Amino acid sequence: MNQSFERILPRTALLYVAWGLALAYLFLAMLLAPLGVALLPHALTSQLLHYRAAALVFFLALPTAAYLIFWKGADLFAWLRAPATLRLDPGGIDDGRTRLPFAEVTQVRQLHARGHLLLWLRGGGRRRIRLALWRDGDALAAGVLEAVRAQLLQDARRRLDAGEVLDFGPLRVSGSGLWIKRTQLAWDQIERIRTQTEHEGVDTDETLVITAAGRHYKLDRSRIRNEPVLLAVLQQRLGA
C-alpha cells in the first residue's frame, strides 16, 4: 500500500465561499444604502429595502455568510496551506513535512457529511484529513481506515475475549452482545446489519442500520469511533 495523492482544488468549498461572499456583499449593500453608498444598482437596492422580509434577510445574511465561508468553505483555506502531495504507506502518512505513524493512532472517526477523517493520537493529539483536498479521496480514506483497522483490531479482539466492553461511541460491544443507548441486544437477536447512504444536495448522510428483534436501530456513522474495527468485530461475531 504505497500511494501518492495529489492536491486538488476543493470546488464545493470554493462554491460555498463564493455564496458566502455574495451574501456578505448583499449585507453591506443593505447596510450602506441609507447612507448614500450604492454597492448595487439603485432599483435593486430599493426593492431589497422595501421587500416584506428585508429585516429578516438583513439580520440573517451576515451569520449565514460566516457559516458558508468559515464552516462549509473551510476546506478551501486548508487547501491554501496543504502540501502538493500526500503519501500513504503501510506504516503511516507523510506530507513531506511531517509523518503520522499509524502506530500512534488510537481512534478514528469518518465525518461523512464533511468528507473528513479525524485521527486521535497517543498523548492527546489529533489530526484531520480533508479528503476533498486530494485526488481520489475515497481511496485515501479506504487506505487510512484499513491501516487503522489492522492496527487496532487485534487489541480489540483480545479485550473482548477478556470480558471487557468495547466503547464505539453510540454503541458498545461485549462478548454477549451489544448495547445501543440503554437497549441490550444479544448476538442471536441481531438479524441484519447494513449501511445506508442518503444524499441531500452536496451533503451525504451515512447510517448504520441494525435490525434486531423486529426493530431497526439507526446510528449516524460519523459518530461511531473506530468503525472499521467495529464492523470487523460484528462480522466475526455474526459470521456475515
Side-chain angles (χ1 to χ4, degrees), residues 24-226:
Y25 191 85
L26 176 64
F27 172 83
L28 285 176
M30 296 178 70
L31 179 67
L32 298 176
L35 302 177
V37 179
L39 298 182
L40 291 172
H42 176 74
L44 178 58
T45 304
S46 178
Q47 289 180 357
L48 286 173
L49 292 176
H50 291 88
Y51 178 56
R52 183 178 303 175
L56 181 63
V57 172
F58 179 79
F59 286 109
L60 290 182
L62 196 58
T64 302
Y67 168 74
L68 291 173
I69 294 171
F70 298 109
W71 180 258
K72 300 293 287 185
D75 283 353
L76 180 63
F77 303 105
W79 173 80
L80 296 173
R81 305 186 303 270
T85 305
L86 194 68
R87 294 178 178 83
L88 182 67
D89 61 57
I93 306 169
D94 195 322
D95 64 7
R97 297 177 296 199
T98 60
R99 179 171 175 80
L100 172 61
F102 290 126
E104 294 295 313
V105 178
T106 61
Q107 183 187 145
V108 62
R109 281 176 57 198
Q110 184 172 4
L111 307 183
H112 296 274
R114 301 194 67 190
H116 295 176
L117 291 180
L118 291 181
L119 304 175
W120 278 262
L121 312 177
R122 302 184 192 279
R126 192 178 75 171
R127 287 283 299 273
R128 183 186 299 266
I129 300 176
R130 301 171 185 266
L131 302 175
L133 305 189
W134 309 103
R135 192 177 305 280
D136 202 357
D138 290 340
L140 173 59
V144 172
L145 292 173
E146 172 57 26
V148 173
R149 184 198 67 82
Q151 185 70 33
L152 300 178
L153 181 56
Q154 184 175 356
D155 180 64
R157 286 173 174 167
R158 178 190 59 77
R159 293 173 55 198
L160 202 58
D161 292 339
E164 295 187 40
V165 176
L166 305 184
D167 188 353
F168 292 97
L171 86 173
R172 295 175 295 151
V173 176
S174 73
S176 59
L178 55 84
W179 284 264
I180 302 175
K181 296 183 179 179
R182 297 184 179 180
T183 302
Q184 182 176 4
L185 301 172
W187 292 115
D188 58 6
Q189 290 181 289
I190 300 174
E191 303 164 16
R192 185 184 182 193
I193 295 179
R194 62 184 175 87
T195 58
Q196 177 177 295
T197 303
E198 295 181 357
H199 298 282
E200 185 175 347
V202 296
D203 293 328
T204 300
D205 292 326
E206 292 281 352
T207 306
L208 183 68
V209 183
I210 299 176
T211 303
R215 291 186 58 185
H216 299 293
Y217 300 89
K218 295 185 177 182
L219 303 171
D220 180 359
R221 293 177 63 190
S222 296
R223 297 178 55 212
I224 298 176
R225 305 171 191 164
N226 295 332

